[in-house]
Amino acid sequence: DQQVKQNSPSLSVQEGRISILNCDYTNSMFDYFLWYKKYPAEGPTFLISISSIKDKNEDGRFTVFLNKSAKHLSLHIVPSQPGDSAVYFCAASAIQFYFGTGTSLTVIP
Amino acid sequence: KAGVTQTPRYLIKTRGQQVTLSCSPISGHRSVSWYQQTPGQGLQFLFEYFSETQRNKGNFPGRFSGRQFSNSRSEMNVSTLELGDSALYLCASSLSPTSSRGTEAFFGQGTRLTVV
């Protein structure tokens, strides 16, 4: 049973535009959410996180939004750069980390 | 500061064999978690060790086991390998158990296991 879902397997965005990656979860006990970025042949790299007591967290070009009532999480990248092309995983934490299946982002120069 | 180190990076094994994968966490990190990544399945949690004790175990058969040593290094063992065990196995380390709010996990590059 997939408790964290990323329904878009892939996304293509023009360089300079906004990339929006979405994530839905089912377990209301999740209290911490994270985004990881993964390049081929490398392990996932931590990107940004948000606690369930907040609805927004910003770090440079990356902003994560949390809508607890909708059980929805999104990552905004503005402006998108070609180096952002990677697979992005969202994760939620309760007793353990639960990961989504990932969204492959391609930023077109 | 050295990152998470996984060895070996690549492995090819035959069905029925057993395999041991190793993970050295970031210095000072006492929690080590293991994940299996297969196409379309994301990262599936295998188990987590903290201070040599298994804290949690995912929904995997008993053929998958692990342990953690006093220096926090961890090993994962898979016995009686099946073709479906072919995957990227990732290890992640953190200061605190992943159940602690605000804990971030840092991943190694993974071990690519191919079962033929």
Side-chain angles (χ1 to χ4, degrees):
Chain A
D1 181 30
Q2 196 74 24
Q3 298 193 45
V4 177
K5 297 178 184 178
Q6 294 177 258
N7 293 317
S8 298
S10 62
L11 174 68
S12 290
V13 171
Q14 288 289 133
E15 181 179 2
R17 307 294 287 267
I18 184 171
S19 294
I20 300 176
L21 296 96
N22 294 304
C23 181
D24 296 297
Y25 61 95
T26 57
N27 190 342
S28 58
M29 297 299 291
F30 289 145
D31 60 3
Y32 193 64
F33 303 87
L34 309 92
W35 284 94
Y36 283 83
K37 174 179 173 181
K38 186 179 185 299
Y39 293 117
E42 295 184 13
T45 303
F46 170 74
L47 197 56
I48 191 169
S49 62
I50 187 167
S51 165
S52 60
I53 60 174
K54 294 187 173 182
D55 55 18
K56 177 182 173 181
N57 189 27
E58 195 170 351
D59 184 2
R61 297 186 296 114
F62 303 91
T63 303
V64 57
F65 295 92
L66 176 62
N67 183 334
K68 285 179 63 179
S69 60
K71 294 191 176 67
H72 180 80
L73 188 70
S74 63
L75 174 68
H76 293 211
I77 306 174
V78 183
S80 301
Q81 299 173 353
D84 295 330
S85 297
V87 177
Y88 290 78
F89 291 95
C90 68
S93 173
I95 296 173
Q96 66 190 57
F97 278 5
Y98 295 83
F99 283 85
T101 51
T103 296
S104 178
L105 172 66
T106 301
V107 179
I108 303 164
Chain B
K1 196 174 188 181
V4 179
T5 304
Q6 290 188 248
T7 57
R9 290 291 311 278
Y10 302 93
L11 264 180
I12 299 176
K13 289 284 188 179
T14 305
R15 270 183 303 174
Q17 286 187 310
Q18 68 94 26
V19 67
T20 299
L21 312 182
S22 180
C23 173
S24 293
I26 292 171
S27 178
H29 285 195
R30 293 163 62 193
S31 172
V32 173
S33 300
W34 288 89
Y35 296 86
Q36 181 195 66
Q37 185 189 8
T38 53
Q41 292 294 315
L43 279 71
Q44 302 291 313
F45 172 75
L46 280 154
F47 27 66
E48 178 181 12
Y49 287 87
F50 182 78
S51 295
E52 301 179 67
T53 301
Q54 187 180 88
R55 286 182 59 87
N56 286 301
K57 192 176 191 318
N59 190 25
F60 279 81
R63 301 185 295 108
F64 291 81
S65 62
R67 59 178 176 167
Q68 186 179 35
F69 302 96
S70 58
N71 61 357
S72 294
R73 189 177 71 86
S74 178
E75 287 182 347
M76 189 191 94
N77 185 274
V78 188
S79 63
T80 320
L81 283 165
E82 301 176 358
L83 294 178
D85 296 334
S86 295
L88 179 68
Y89 289 88
L90 290 160
C91 159
S93 80
S94 54
L95 278 169
S96 304
T98 52
S99 56
S100 303
R101 180 187 282 240
T103 295
E104 289 142 14
F106 298 85
F107 283 84
Q109 291 184 291
T111 295
R112 172 73 62 184
L113 172 65
T114 302
V115 182
V116 298

